[in-house]
């Protein structure tokens, strides 16, 4: 018999990442979740099939699994832990953050509806919003990442507000309580991509947000070694998201689920390090004579510092800044870095660096790129789990070279 815990909700994310809410008994009493590599699950007799189907049609569960696209034991355990960490009734896992974003939107969007997005958002989300949704007859507004701008954009047919918080790359933090208030007044669903915050730093569901999404590729997985996404919320809403997930089959495999669950075991420890490293490095960069400007919500200079301090426990390890100088000088700085790998992504064990215009916006016309702030000297670093002294020394030596 699996042991029941008295009141797991009192536990903090670090503990929930290891134990979840309800302990599930594994084969052989294994401490780690087994990787169940199978695409389908057999029945012994046609009577078993009949009983299973009948129970299912009545909304009852007499056994969990039937076919790989509909679920897998390793995936189910990972979903239970993710839900526990987020404080959600249910989590639905996807094969990437983008499949979580798009399939969650497809679950809740309505023909002739209107969706409000905030402008400083992940490039692929922006492309889906700006280029694809119109094809489905959905109206889209891309507004400044503030509750006031969202409120102004509400129309009679608005049915979803979708925002990131913090946003990417400027780390704008929305006043989520104010966004929820506007949404509830107008009976609009709120979906927050909280990838950059994680459930360690912000609790959107506790603030009344309807649905939370994470690219689990980032801090939740935490080791730059997997792709996954997760959508979380009430059982009722997640039932609808699950229908989309099982139909399309954008599910992570059992090995990815295992790696993600393993990542959750060090989630609390890693986030403490990421938060501390982010703040120290942001302060160092802000005081450096060769840096023009830094965006980090933990700095008083950040436009959303006040609301970030109120709503968040920490600010993560992404720091965005402008190098004083042009494209060539910025590239010289990046090329001189020894520890930071030149690659997109964030939230893993290795520190990463991205020159934003080149890595994420290369195929946009220069004029548009500049309009949305992707100047040549805009750099985003995502600090990993290395010693902070080494990370700072590396930045300093690279800046010394320009
Ligand atoms: N949302 C945010 C905020 C991101 O930064 C990213 C990726 O960088 C995604 C979604 C997409 O996640 P994935 O790469 O796992 O599809």
């Amino acid at each position: 018999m699996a042991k029941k815990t008295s009141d797991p909700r009192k536990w903090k994310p670090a503990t929930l990442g290891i134990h979840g809410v309800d302990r599930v008994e594994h084969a052989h009493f294994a401490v780690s979740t087994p990787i169940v590599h199978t695409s389908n699950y057999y029945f012994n007799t046609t009577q078993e099939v009949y009983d299973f189907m009948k129970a299912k049609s009545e909304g009852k569960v007499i056994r969990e699994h039937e076919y790989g696209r509909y679920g897998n034991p390793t995936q189910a355990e990972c979903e239970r832990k993710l839900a526990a960490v987020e404080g959600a009734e249910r989590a639905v896992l996807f094969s990437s953050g983008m499949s979580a974003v798009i399939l969650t939107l497809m679950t809740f969007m309505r023909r002739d509806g209107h969706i409000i997005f905030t402008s400083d958002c992940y490039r692929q989300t922006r492309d889906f919003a700006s280029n694809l949704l119109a094809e489905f007859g959905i109206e889209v507004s891309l507004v400044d990442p503030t509750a006031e701008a969202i409120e102004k954009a509400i129309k009679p047919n608005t049915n979803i507000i979708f925002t990131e918080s913090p946003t990417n790359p400027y780390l704008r933090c929305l006043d989520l309580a104010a966004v929820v208030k506007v949404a509830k007044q107008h009976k609009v669903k709120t979906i927050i991509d909280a990838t950059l915050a994680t459930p360690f730093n912000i609790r959107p569901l506790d603030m009344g947000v309807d649905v939370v999404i994470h690219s689990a590729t980032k801090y939740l997985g935490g080791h730059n070694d997997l792709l996954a996404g997760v959508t979380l919320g009430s059982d009722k809403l997640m039932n609808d998201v699950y229908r989309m997930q099982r139909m399309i089959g954008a599910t992570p495999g059992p090995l990815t689920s295992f790696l993600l669950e393993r990542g959750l075991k060090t989630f609390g420890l890693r986030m403490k390090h990421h938060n501390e490293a982010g703040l120290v490095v942001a302060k160092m960069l802000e005081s450096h004579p060769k840096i023009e400007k830094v965006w980090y919500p933990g700095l008083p200079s950040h436009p959303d510092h006040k609301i970030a301090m109120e709503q968040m426990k920490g600010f993560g390890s992404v720091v965005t800044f402008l190098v004083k100088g042009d494209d060539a000088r910025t590239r010289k700085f990046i090329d001189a870095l020894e520890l930071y790998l030149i690659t997109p992504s964030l939230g893993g064990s290795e520190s990463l660096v991205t020159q934003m215009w080149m890595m994420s916006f290369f195929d946009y016309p220069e004029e548009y790129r500049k309009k949305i702030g992707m100047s040549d000297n805009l750099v985003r670093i995502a600090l990993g789990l290395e010693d902070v002294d080494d990370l700072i020394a590396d930045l300093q030596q690279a800046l010394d070279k320009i």
Side-chain angles (χ1 to χ4, degrees):
M1 265 290 285
K3 200 165 142 186
K4 271 268 180 202
T5 37
S6 55
D7 181 15
R9 292 199 189 277
K10 65 178 186 263
W11 290 339
K12 300 221 161 62
T15 313
L16 290 164
I18 296 168
H19 292 286
V21 172
D22 289 323
R23 190 177 298 167
V24 174
E25 200 166 281
H26 297 142
H28 315 295
F29 303 100
V31 171
S32 302
T33 304
I35 302 170
V36 182
H37 249 295
T38 188
S39 57
N40 38 357
Y41 308 83
Y42 67 86
F43 297 85
N44 286 306
T45 61
T46 52
Q47 187 61 43
E48 279 185 17
V49 180
Y50 180 86
D51 293 344
F52 173 75
M53 289 299 175
K54 184 156 186 305
K56 202 162 88 164
S57 70
E58 292 163 355
K60 296 184 204 139
V61 181
I62 55 170
R63 62 176 246 180
E64 240 186 308
H65 298 291
E66 156 191 15
Y67 184 62
R69 182 156 35 77
Y70 306 158
N72 172 284
T74 322
Q75 177 193 330
E77 178 71 345
C78 189
E79 286 174 335
R80 276 192 283 271
K81 290 240 171 99
L82 285 162
V85 170
E86 188 74 53
E89 283 176 9
R90 185 166 173 192
V92 180
L93 262 177
F94 290 94
S95 52
S96 69
M98 274 322 292
S99 51
V101 167
I102 291 178
L103 295 174
T104 303
L105 280 166
M106 287 182 76
T107 303
F108 298 116
M109 69 194 197
R110 297 288 171 262
R111 188 153 36 119
D112 303 323
H114 170 234
I115 308 180
I116 301 172
F117 288 86
T118 42
S119 55
D120 178 31
C121 69
Y122 182 57
R123 189 235 155 121
Q124 302 295 342
T125 304
R126 176 198 296 266
D127 283 0
F128 179 68
S130 317
N131 306 336
L132 274 165
L133 278 174
E135 304 284 328
F136 294 94
I138 315 278
E139 229 187 308
V140 164
S141 297
L142 215 56
V143 305
D144 281 348
T146 65
E148 296 77 45
I150 289 173
E151 183 163 23
K152 270 201 203 131
I154 298 261
K155 298 182 182 192
N157 59 336
T158 306
N159 66 325
I160 298 175
I161 295 169
F162 184 103
T163 176
E164 291 173 19
S165 192
T167 61
N168 184 4
Y170 289 109
L171 307 164
R172 298 296 307 270
C173 301
L174 277 94
D175 180 344
L176 292 188
V179 173
V180 166
K181 194 165 162 221
V182 170
K184 291 216 186 304
Q185 260 165 16
H186 296 273
K187 297 193 171 43
V188 173
K189 216 171 251 92
T190 41
I191 306 179
I192 305 290
D193 177 342
T195 298
L196 270 72
T198 80
F200 191 86
N201 284 333
I202 201 162
R203 315 287 296 174
L205 298 175
D206 293 348
M207 291 182 212
V209 166
D210 295 305
V211 176
V212 177
I213 294 177
H214 298 285
S215 163
T217 311
K218 311 294 182 325
Y219 292 110
L220 294 171
H223 293 79
N224 289 322
D225 60 2
L226 62 86
L227 275 171
V230 61
T231 301
L232 307 108
S234 66
D235 267 331
K236 187 169 177 295
L237 294 178
M238 291 311 104
N239 270 343
D240 294 338
V241 174
Y242 171 62
R243 263 204 297 277
M244 186 66 84
Q245 180 220 42
R246 60 179 266 143
M247 189 189 307
I248 305 226
T251 46
L255 179 59
T256 298
S257 301
F258 174 85
L259 288 172
L260 177 51
E261 197 211 320
R262 183 185 159 108
L264 289 180
K265 295 183 190 193
T266 52
F267 173 61
L269 276 177
R270 289 187 287 102
M271 286 315 296
K272 264 191 203 153
H273 177 95
H274 283 307
N275 285 345
E276 282 165 21
L279 192 57
V280 173
V281 169
K283 280 185 182 160
M284 169 264 167
L285 286 171
E286 192 167 51
S287 65
H288 199 285
K290 289 182 183 167
I291 298 297
E292 192 179 314
K293 188 173 166 62
V294 178
W295 286 266
Y296 186 74
L299 295 177
S301 58
H302 190 276
D304 303 318
H305 177 64
K306 189 167 167 287
I307 193 66
M309 294 295 281
E310 279 168 30
Q311 291 190 346
M312 298 173 74
K313 194 171 151 189
F315 315 101
S317 65
V318 174
V319 185
T320 304
F321 53 95
L322 292 174
V323 172
K324 262 187 201 157
D326 57 5
D327 183 49
R329 210 164 134 89
T330 306
R331 286 167 69 169
K332 191 168 177 199
F333 157 69
I334 291 175
D335 290 340
L337 289 166
E338 290 172 4
L339 277 174
Y340 296 73
L341 303 175
I342 305 174
T343 172
S345 204
L346 57 106
S349 29
E350 294 80 9
S351 289
L352 315 178
V353 59
T354 312
Q355 189 178 5
M356 289 305 294
W357 83 262
M358 199 185 307
M359 190 72 88
S360 301
F361 291 86
F362 194 83
D363 49 343
Y364 274 72
E366 192 175 341
E367 225 172 85
Y368 179 76
R369 239 172 30 217
K370 298 258 154 83
K371 200 175 121 210
I372 61 169
M374 295 301 142
S375 51
D376 296 348
N377 55 343
L378 185 71
V379 177
R380 189 187 76 186
I381 52 174
L383 305 164
L385 299 174
E386 302 92 337
D387 192 289
V388 185
D389 292 343
D390 292 334
L391 292 175
I392 288 184
D394 195 26
L395 288 165
Q396 261 157 351
Q397 67 77 24
L399 286 165
D400 285 348
K401 296 210 169 85
I402 63 170

